[in-house]
């Protein structure tokens, strides 16, 4: 079952339990349990809000380096960019924004947007919407792109210094009947490390997407600062929501 999202406002709503999320609980707090409290306070703030809180997190900064793997990957990355999944460009000191909004999707699931915009000459977006997993404790499900055709299991953990590491796991093609598992040799494994730099007063991030056969697919590293604007009765902006929502997770 899928839902095509109409351009209408979404208002905030209470959250539920780990299977459907508890009141006022973010999907990351639900997945990480007591470990969430070991995160740096700024990371707790950034990843700790839900649709009930009526706020968003908007990050603005620069990616100091963006790179991809072999040149022959560029056409495939360009295809993915049509649905805001990866992109072929490389660069240094590229202006960057990330928009995190929490809302209830069309299936009533607590959801958080991760809309990353890289301001190349032609701006590129890398979109994701994330939900908690009802049957895999400790897991966040990441729907990639504008149409949620690909669902990826994410496994978050805390570093000794309170940073957040997220590693990807199983991937499923939710656009096909039965949501078949994507073969591991064809997947891109994502590893993210985000932490707060107290001296600079900003977040830092490193991301690598690799494949077991070809090595690096793409990666980026840089920094951003965050603001937490209120989300009113008008709901979240339509441009950060996916075009299509999938019930298959």
């Amino acid at each position: 079952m899928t839902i095509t999202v109409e351009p209408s406002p979404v208002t905030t709503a209470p959250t539920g339990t780990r299977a459907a999320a508890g009141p006022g609980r973010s999907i990351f707090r639900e997945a990480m349990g007591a470990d969430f409290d070991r995160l740096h306070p700024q990371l707790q703030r950034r990843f700790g809000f839900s649709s009930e809180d009526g706020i968003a997190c908007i990050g603005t900064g620069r990616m100091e380096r963006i790179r991809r793997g072999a040149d022959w990957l560029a056409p495939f990355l360009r295809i993915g960019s049509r649905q805001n999944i990866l992109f072929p460009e490389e660069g240094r000191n590229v202006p960057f924004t990330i928009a995190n909004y929490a809302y209830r999707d069309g299936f009533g699931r607590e959801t958080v947007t991760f809309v990353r915009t890289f301001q190349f000459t032609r701006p590129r977006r890398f979109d994701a919407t994330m939900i908690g997993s009802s049957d895999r404790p400790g897991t966040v499900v990441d729907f990639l792109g504008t149409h949620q055709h690909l669902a990826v299991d994410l496994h978050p953990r805390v570093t000794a210094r309170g940073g957040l590491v997220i590693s990807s796991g199983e991937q499923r093609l939710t656009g096909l009947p039965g949501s078949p598992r994507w073969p591991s040799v064809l997947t891109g494994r994502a590893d993210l490390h985000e932490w707060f730099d107290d001296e600079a007063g900003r977040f830092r991030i490193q991301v690598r997407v690799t494949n077991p056969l070809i090595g690096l697919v793409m990666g980026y590293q840089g920094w951003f600062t965050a603001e937490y604007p209120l989300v009113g009765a008008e709901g979240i902006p339509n441009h950060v929501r996916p075009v299509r929502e999938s019930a298959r997770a």
Side-chain angles (χ1 to χ4, degrees):
M1 179 180 179
T2 62
I3 289 179
T4 300
V5 179
E6 299 294 336
S8 57
V10 177
T11 56
T12 57
T15 55
T17 65
R18 179 182 290 254
R25 302 272 286 186
S26 78
I27 61 172
F28 286 93
R29 184 177 287 278
E30 289 290 334
M32 297 174 70
D35 279 349
F36 187 87
D37 295 323
R38 296 175 47 230
L39 288 171
H40 187 285
Q42 291 291 343
L43 286 171
Q44 291 186 43
R45 183 182 185 191
R46 181 164 142 63
F47 289 94
F49 64 92
S50 73
S51 62
E52 189 175 79
D53 295 310
I55 62 171
C57 178
I58 307 299
T60 305
R62 287 184 176 269
M63 289 301 105
E64 297 160 334
R65 186 179 184 189
I66 302 172
R67 59 196 181 113
R68 68 160 191 269
D71 288 343
W72 61 265
L73 286 171
F76 299 98
L77 295 175
R78 191 168 290 111
I79 291 171
S81 70
R82 295 174 185 173
Q83 292 191 4
N84 293 348
I85 305 175
L86 306 182
F87 47 83
E89 285 84 357
E90 298 182 287
R92 290 183 179 272
N93 295 317
V94 177
F96 168 83
T97 60
I98 181 168
N100 301 115
Y101 288 86
Y103 69 102
R104 288 282 187 170
D105 72 4
F107 299 102
R109 301 174 299 195
E110 183 71 27
T111 306
V112 180
T113 69
F114 281 76
V115 174
R116 292 147 285 206
T117 303
F118 302 81
Q119 293 291 340
F120 297 103
T121 302
R122 176 183 179 178
R124 292 291 193 183
R125 274 177 50 165
F126 182 10
D127 291 7
T129 41
M130 301 186 188
I131 66 171
S133 174
S134 60
D135 56 359
R136 294 182 298 282
T139 302
V140 170
V141 179
D142 185 9
F143 290 108
L144 295 181
T146 56
H147 289 68
Q148 295 193 348
H149 287 316
L150 181 64
V152 182
D153 286 351
L154 301 181
H155 306 293
R157 62 183 177 84
V158 186
T159 69
R161 294 189 174 185
L164 177 65
V165 171
I166 299 177
S167 299
S168 66
E170 181 178 293
Q171 302 181 15
R172 296 170 298 282
L173 295 171
T174 59
L176 297 179
S179 298
R181 182 176 178 178
W182 193 249
S184 59
V185 295
L186 300 178
T187 63
R189 174 188 166 91
D191 292 288
L192 173 148
H193 181 197
E194 185 173 321
W195 69 99
F196 191 77
D197 184 338
D198 285 294
E199 185 174 344
R202 59 195 187 187
F203 294 91
R204 294 200 60 87
I205 187 169
Q206 294 179 344
V207 174
R208 281 176 55 87
V209 180
T210 58
N211 174 273
L213 296 181
I214 63 177
L216 179 70
V217 176
M218 73 163 293
Y220 56 89
Q221 63 187 60
W223 61 269
F224 60 92
T225 59
E227 297 181 344
Y228 298 86
L230 297 176
V231 177
E234 74 280 2
I236 71 170
N238 287 313
H239 73 270
V240 302
R241 299 183 68 197
V243 174
R244 166 190 177 272
E245 293 177 346
S246 174
R248 305 186 184 109

